[in-house]
């Protein structure tokens, strides 16, 4: 009788280990992961934010006497934000994922793009 009880306990422990290894939760639901394109959108947003901060800092240190490369980098930054918005929108179409990174990436990219458009139109 004791051997049967030990076998049942051992099977139960093996079942728990398998469940944890698969990453499943109660009632057979797997843990949801973040959308890959949403993470990419956040990366685009981070890179564009860092780039715009560096461009503003450089323009401040040069007291406005910047070369045309700063404008070109600003346009490249606009392209990065557009790519980030596109990646976030694609991430929202992925099935069975967490969409928080998509939403954060889209929001930050839109804000950076609006700021860049205002600066660009103000310079014309």
């Amino acid at each position: 009788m004791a051997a049967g009880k030990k076998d049942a306990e051992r099977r139960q422990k093996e079942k728990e280990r398998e469940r944890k290894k698969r990453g499943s939760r109660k009632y057979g639901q797997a843990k949801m992961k973040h959308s890959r394109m949403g993470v990419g959108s956040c990366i685009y947003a981070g890179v564009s934010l860092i780039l715009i901060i560096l461009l503003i800092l450089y323009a401040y240190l040069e007291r406005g006497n910047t070369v045309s490369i700063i404008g070109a980098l600003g346009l490249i930054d606009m392209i990065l934000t557009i790519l980030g918005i596109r990646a976030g929108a694609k991430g929202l179409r992925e099935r069975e994922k967490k969409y928080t990174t998509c939403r954060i990436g889209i929001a930050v990219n839109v804000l950076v793009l609006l700021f860049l458009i205002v600066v660009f139109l103000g310079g014309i």
Side-chain angles (χ1 to χ4, degrees), residues 39-80:
V39 173
S41 177
C42 286
I43 291 172
Y44 278 125
V47 169
S48 66
L49 270 175
I50 290 171
L51 185 59
I52 196 168
I53 289 170
L54 290 176
L55 292 174
I56 291 171
L57 182 66
Y58 181 74
Y60 176 75
L61 291 175
E62 291 293 319
R63 292 185 173 86
N65 298 329
T66 58
V67 292
S68 61
I69 192 76
I70 298 299
L73 287 174
L75 289 174
I76 290 173
D77 200 17
M78 277 187 186
I79 293 170
L80 283 176

Side-chain angles (χ1 to χ4, degrees), residues 2-123:
K5 189 175 182 181
K6 286 184 180 180
D7 285 340
E9 287 177 9
R10 185 178 48 82
R11 276 185 267 138
Q12 184 67 25
K13 285 182 182 179
E14 286 178 15
K15 191 185 277 189
E16 285 293 320
R17 266 190 244 122
E18 281 295 316
R19 187 178 65 85
K20 287 181 182 178
K21 193 186 319 181
R22 280 193 316 255
S24 62
R25 298 185 341 211
K26 194 173 182 179
Y27 306 118
Q29 300 256 336
K31 283 186 175 180
M32 293 187 46
K33 296 180 180 179
H34 288 285
S35 169
R36 289 182 80 140
M37 296 302 284
V39 173
S41 177
C42 286
I43 291 172
Y44 278 125
V47 169
S48 66
L49 270 175
I50 290 171
L51 185 59
I52 196 168
I53 289 170
L54 290 176
L55 292 174
I56 291 171
L57 182 66
Y58 181 74
Y60 176 75
L61 291 175
E62 291 293 319
R63 292 185 173 86
N65 298 329
T66 58
V67 292
S68 61
I69 192 76
I70 298 299
L73 287 174
L75 289 174
I76 290 173
D77 200 17
M78 277 187 186
I79 293 170
L80 283 176
T81 57
I82 292 169
L83 290 174
I85 294 168
R86 184 172 172 244
K90 277 187 173 182
L92 288 173
R93 286 189 245 138
E94 292 182 21
R95 296 228 174 227
E96 312 237 348
K97 301 285 183 176
K98 289 184 184 177
Y99 301 120
T100 53
T101 53
C102 297
R103 293 182 182 122
I104 291 170
I106 289 172
V108 172
N109 280 312
V110 165
L111 290 175
V112 171
L113 183 63
L114 287 175
F115 179 76
L116 286 169
I117 289 172
V118 167
V119 169
F120 183 72
L121 291 177

